[in-house]
Amino acid sequence: MNLLIASLSVVIAFTGLYLSVKQKRLGMILWFLITYFMLCFIPVSLSEQLAHVQNYTNTSFKVSLESIRSTLLFVLGFNCIFLAFDTLFYQLHKSSAAQLVMQNPSERSNILQLIFLLCQGYGAIFYYLSTRDFQYTDYVGNIASWPVVFLFCSASGICLAALRRNYPIAALMTIPFIYFMAHLKIRSFALLSVIPLIYILSLQFNSKSRSIFTNWRSYLIALPIFIVLLFGANYAMNTKQNKERETGLLPDAQMPFGCAIIIEGIDRAHRSTGFDGLILYGNNLVNPFKRLLGLHAPEITDPPAVMAQIYEGFRKDEKIKYHYPVLWYTDAYLAFGIFGLFLAIFWAAILNILEKLTTHSAAAFCILFPAYCWHAYMLIR
């Protein structure tokens, strides 16, 4: 029965992926991630029970077959609701990036491209000087700085260069991001740079095809880069300082197991964060600017911190704020229990609004698309 439920989630995910690819939506990135994680739920469905030990307290508990089934049913229900409303909301705007990526930017884009290159030069040099002795934990505690702001802004220059068919410049501009991903073990740098580039190239090389994957050139472009990113992401995960667990061959493949374990822990501890996660989400939109201006963020319960307490047994009063994000299904269940299913409607609306804004014009696409890719992964993860 559990395998059947997990298989239905895979079918739902592939349906969403197929529709988004056929429509050449930005949402294909989102549905690719969902499909990936649904495939990772298959091993969970084959488990008769899960045994877990909190590393910090050495407390152990087991997740029964019935609890695993409840988790799989919650995930299936969330995916079904999200697919239905994602499809509905898309019909209201029907935005596609296919036409945008085929436009030739005006001559004024030369000046804009130069500005992005200067931003990257300043950001990469000074960020390298300030982080050359950093480890992963140093990055987490010192993420806000002007050089990283300029570096992240330069990701828009990669999109602009790709739209202008200046592929050597686009490729060169990804190098600082790849370096910092490998050095700091942070995959966000690839999400802001390499993933947008792959998407744009796929659409451009298949402008006359109904689907971006019907042309062999897409595979020549996407598959080698995807394989490198896959192993690069896995390297980043498995070499983080103070790591407690290996991810194996595939990055984040253990998260579905963590999802079932934490949902069981939520039921045992009767934990709930209510609207705190959504409030924190809104607050995080302005948090980087608050940090740069020296303003303190309000104290809001951080759902990943609660998950870390459940998963590892960390205390609330720890000096170091541990966090352990485990997919948006766990976030939804931690917030409202079974009623967290309705958050699928909320996220479908938010993501379609972002998709509409990003595809409004070529300028909006260049500016917002790197952030869209980053946001899609961080939201689901």
Side-chain angles (χ1 to χ4, degrees):
M1 177 62 74
N2 284 2
L3 179 60
L4 175 61
I5 297 170
S7 299
L8 288 174
S9 285
V10 172
V11 171
I12 293 297
F14 268 112
T15 301
L17 180 61
Y18 170 77
L19 292 175
S20 59
V21 168
K22 182 179 179 181
Q23 296 156 344
K24 299 184 179 180
R25 293 180 53 190
L26 300 187
M28 72 174 71
I29 296 170
L30 186 83
W31 279 107
F32 175 82
L33 291 168
I34 295 174
T35 303
Y36 172 79
F37 284 118
M38 289 309 99
L39 291 171
C40 292
F41 264 103
I42 294 295
V44 178
S45 69
L46 298 175
S47 305
E48 292 189 2
Q49 69 175 13
L50 301 175
H52 179 67
V53 179
Q54 294 177 335
N55 289 331
Y56 194 80
T57 63
N58 207 33
T59 300
S60 63
F61 63 87
K62 294 182 179 180
V63 183
S64 67
L65 183 67
E66 290 73 19
S67 295
I68 295 173
R69 184 173 302 150
S70 296
T71 298
L72 294 173
L73 285 171
F74 185 85
V75 170
L76 175 60
F78 193 98
N79 287 339
C80 288
I81 295 173
F82 181 77
L83 175 62
F85 281 88
D86 181 52
T87 303
L88 173 63
F89 293 145
Y90 174 72
Q91 294 303 316
L92 300 178
H93 62 87
K94 293 187 177 180
S95 301
S96 173
Q99 295 180 347
L100 289 177
V101 300
M102 298 309 299
Q103 293 181 9
N104 292 313
S106 64
E107 291 296 327
R108 290 178 295 179
S109 65
N110 292 330
I111 299 175
L112 191 58
Q113 187 73 69
L114 178 60
I115 292 174
F116 284 130
L117 285 168
L118 292 174
C119 284
Q120 183 170 92
Y122 169 80
I125 292 171
F126 284 93
Y127 195 54
Y128 166 77
L129 294 175
S130 63
T131 62
R132 53 186 170 182
D133 297 323
F134 271 26
Q135 298 292 334
Y136 169 73
T137 51
D138 300 311
Y139 167 84
V140 173
N142 299 274
I143 188 173
S145 66
W146 283 113
V148 77
V149 170
F150 280 91
L151 179 63
F152 282 4
C153 286
S154 72
S156 297
I158 298 173
C159 295
L160 179 60
L163 291 187
R164 300 175 69 213
R165 279 47 168 198
N166 199 334
Y167 302 126
I169 294 295
L172 286 173
M173 290 187 73
T174 63
I175 293 176
F177 290 92
I178 295 172
Y179 165 77
F180 287 115
M181 181 189 77
H183 173 55
L184 298 173
K185 319 299 184 293
I186 301 295
R187 291 167 291 174
S188 298
F189 290 99
L191 294 169
L192 289 164
S193 56
V194 182
I195 300 302
L197 181 58
I198 293 175
Y199 179 88
I200 293 171
L201 292 178
S202 297
L203 287 183
Q204 287 179 338
F205 279 88
N206 293 275
S207 59
K208 296 180 181 180
S209 302
R210 295 187 63 184
S211 169
I212 68 169
F213 296 124
T214 57
N215 192 304
W216 60 271
R217 288 178 294 182
S218 290
Y219 295 96
L220 290 181
I221 295 170
L223 284 180
I225 301 176
F226 175 74
I227 292 172
V228 171
L229 283 177
L230 185 66
F231 285 98
N234 197 52
Y235 165 80
M237 286 298 295
N238 284 336
T239 56
K240 284 182 180 178
Q241 188 179 21
N242 297 325
K243 66 179 187 287
E244 285 88 13
R245 61 190 67 83
E246 298 285 345
T247 62
L249 178 63
L250 299 174
D252 293 335
Q254 293 298 315
M255 281 198 170
F257 287 93
C259 180
I261 291 169
I262 291 178
I263 286 180
E264 171 70 14
I266 292 170
D267 289 337
R268 286 172 177 265
H270 303 289
R271 296 295 298 269
S272 175
T273 55
F275 288 95
D276 284 350
L278 297 178
I279 295 172
L280 188 64
Y281 174 80
N283 190 67
N284 282 340
L285 296 176
V286 295
N287 248 355
F289 304 101
K290 287 184 177 180
R291 289 184 181 181
L292 290 171
L293 296 174
L295 301 176
H296 295 288
E299 288 293 330
I300 304 172
T301 301
D302 187 6
V306 176
M307 294 178 199
Q309 295 164 18
I310 294 172
Y311 194 86
E312 301 287 12
F314 296 122
R315 298 193 306 268
K316 294 181 181 180
D317 57 352
E318 291 287 338
K319 292 182 179 180
I320 301 176
K321 298 298 182 182
Y322 295 95
H323 72 286
Y324 187 60
V326 191
L327 305 180
W328 59 352
Y329 312 105
T330 318
D331 275 331
Y333 193 82
L334 178 60
F336 304 111
I338 190 65
F339 295 103
L341 289 172
F342 293 103
L343 280 177
I345 304 173
F346 174 80
W347 291 126
I350 291 294
L351 288 162
N352 273 271
I353 290 172
L354 291 177
E355 185 169 358
K356 175 62 176 177
L357 292 175
T358 303
T359 55
H360 175 70
S361 64
F365 180 79
C366 290
I367 294 171
L368 296 177
F369 186 48
Y372 177 91
C373 295
W374 178 88
H375 176 268
Y377 174 75
M378 290 301 175
L379 179 60
I380 292 177
R381 180 179 177 271

